[in-house]
Amino acid sequence: MATNLSFLLIAAFVLAAGVSAAPSQTAAKPRTAELREAIEEYRVRFNELHQEKDQFLQFARTGLWASVRYMNEDILENLGEVRNTIEYGFDDVRLEISLQIVEGTHNEQCLLDLVYEIVDEKVRLGDELSRCSSTATDAKDSLPESFYEFLNLLQRISTSIAETTLYTFINQNSVSDPERHLEYLREAYEETERSWLEEALPLMQFELDAMEYNRPLIVADNAECLAVIIEQQQSFEDNIRARIPSCE
């Protein structure tokens, strides 16, 4: 009889424990559902943030490309004009020398020596043109280099933003502590948005402004370098023309 009573007491205790445990399992379900809904909400929000940043990065690349293109066009136009001056600027004085040789009224060798001097001067001016071009190229290439590196870094960060929700399952335990998981998602979103607005975007705008500020300066420096070549060409041409009578 005692054995039967003990069995009944144990059975009653187990049944009572099972009944008391049931509400806790039922209560956990809303927390799981809430976590699932919140994770989906943050997944959408992080993805929208990623798309927004991608669009801004594309805008920055377009702005950078346009600034570099305009700078290249201005520099190439100036270089082309000076190249033409070097190539054809001596044509008039060479024609004068040729006419004197044909007429036979001047010392032919003396006149030919003037022509050789013109050829040597054209080579020298061509070297100066290359130096001006190289200096401008180094300046304009170094200007956006750090910006490209910065854009690539931001692109990797932007891409990772879309995967942030998935990454949180690596360092958060949504089963044992779903509240902390939700809090982590909220903190991660707020910090990501803050860092973009307060750090990345101002720095990117600074880089774009620096490009626009330095672009005319680089073009002006190149134009100043080329102006020296123009002056030297004109001065040398005048000198050759003034020496033609000495060959009589």
Side-chain angles (χ1 to χ4, degrees), residues 200-218:
L201 299 190
L203 182 56
M204 189 180 303
Q205 188 61 56
F206 173 81
E207 292 282 358
L208 286 172
D209 291 343
M211 282 291 299
E212 285 302 305
Y213 176 80
N214 285 285
R215 177 167 65 89
L217 297 181
I218 293 176

Side-chain angles (χ1 to χ4, degrees), residues 6-119:
S6 298
F7 175 79
L8 291 174
L9 289 174
I10 293 173
F13 177 78
V14 171
L15 180 61
V19 171
S20 62
S24 64
Q25 293 175 355
T26 304
K29 290 182 179 179
R31 293 170 58 192
T32 303
E34 178 187 354
L35 176 62
R36 185 164 53 247
E37 293 174 0
I39 288 175
E40 176 60 20
E41 176 187 348
Y42 275 105
R43 184 194 66 78
V44 173
R45 294 178 68 182
F46 274 113
N47 189 60
E48 291 175 347
L49 193 63
H50 154 68
Q51 292 176 352
E52 175 187 335
K53 303 319 171 190
D54 261 8
Q55 291 175 357
F56 189 85
L57 288 173
Q58 184 59 42
F59 165 77
R61 286 193 181 89
T62 301
L64 176 62
W65 178 82
S67 184
V68 172
R69 188 193 70 180
Y70 293 145
M71 182 165 51
N72 285 338
E73 289 176 350
D74 292 341
I75 291 176
L76 288 175
E77 181 179 356
N78 293 338
L79 289 172
E81 291 177 357
V82 176
R83 177 195 173 279
N84 289 338
T85 298
I86 296 173
E87 183 67 24
Y88 307 111
F90 294 105
D91 285 358
D92 290 344
V93 70
R94 291 177 67 176
L95 178 59
E96 293 178 24
I97 294 174
S98 298
L99 292 176
Q100 295 297 334
I101 292 176
V102 171
E103 291 178 2
T105 57
H106 289 65
N107 185 300
E108 181 176 345
Q109 187 58 51
C110 179
L111 294 174
L112 288 175
D113 289 341
L114 294 180
V115 174
Y116 296 147
E117 288 186 36
I118 292 174
V119 173

Side-chain angles (χ1 to χ4, degrees), residues 186-203:
R186 184 188 65 79
E187 293 174 353
Y189 183 86
E190 291 178 354
E191 176 59 23
T192 300
E193 191 172 38
R194 184 204 64 78
S195 63
W196 271 93
L197 293 176
E198 298 180 9
E199 298 174 15
L201 299 190
L203 182 56

